[in-house]
Amino acid sequence: KEGSCARYRQNYNILAADGSGLGGLMGPYHYASHYSNTGIVLHFLVRLPPFTGEFIKFQDGNFDLPDRSFHKLATSWLMASEVSASDVKELIPQLFYLPELFVNKEGFNLGRRQNGEEVSDVEMPEWSKDPRTFVKIHRQALESPLVRQELSHWIDLVFGYKQTGQEAVDAVNVFHPATYPTNQTQEMDELEAMARQTMIETYGQTPLQLFSSVHPLPLADLVRQERSNSPPPLPVVGTVTGMTWGSYVGAPGMPA
């Protein structure tokens, strides 16, 4: 998001200079929300039992406000990439293999948005005719040479050396201190422990740090080789560029 880094750094600096409150007690942070938690998972899976029941319990017996629900992929992308500086949701695995999550097969009453539109199935992007097509394109994008080449940078942020310390500060990657496992072993009274547990359940938990140095790029040469040796791909979906057919008997361009 344009300008977001400056806002996140400003938030961190304000908390770092504050000798009281959360900034003084536990340390400053860039983000007041987390990239993965119970609410985010249920937000995406609300149409799919048994997650529907868990979502209703999470929302104190109700569905979410229709305008805030997961109702249109373009809106979710716009909120995360441009509109909301607090929306740092990470995509859940099901978005890459489970088209059923986009369909309100059970006919749940998810309400009407302020513009009068009923919330039911998730609205697909213009380039995808149905949820199954979207999932197949989405998964192929995830498995593309470009993503594989850049994947190590995500590992550095989430599991690696940029998760904590000065490297995390420089990378604008510091979340609320209470979400880190190293801050969850402190001596606390019963009330503090209950409050901390509730916060983890609703806000999220940062995973254990697995690596303390830069994650290697073992696929870099392979990615370059794939790009240079690959023949021009046969078109798969007319509205999407860069997709390729798999290598299997009977596939377009392969011997039958």
Side-chain angles (χ1 to χ4, degrees), residues 26 182-193 196:
M26 302 192 69
T182 53
N183 291 328
Q184 293 163 8
T185 56
Q186 301 170 345
E187 290 293 330
M188 291 178 284
D189 60 33
E190 185 177 353
L191 185 61
E192 288 175 327
R196 182 68 59 83

Side-chain angles (χ1 to χ4, degrees), residues 12 30 161-174:
Y12 182 93
H30 294 113
Y161 81 107
K162 290 183 180 180
Q163 189 199 84
T164 58
Q166 187 59 45
E167 290 84 1
V169 176
D170 295 340
V172 195
N173 190 43
V174 181

Side-chain angles (χ1 to χ4, degrees), residues 11-17 22-24 26-30 169 174-177:
N11 182 61
Y12 182 93
N13 292 333
I14 290 172
L15 289 172
L22 289 175
M26 302 192 69
Y29 51 88
H30 294 113
V169 176
V174 181
F175 294 83
H176 193 288

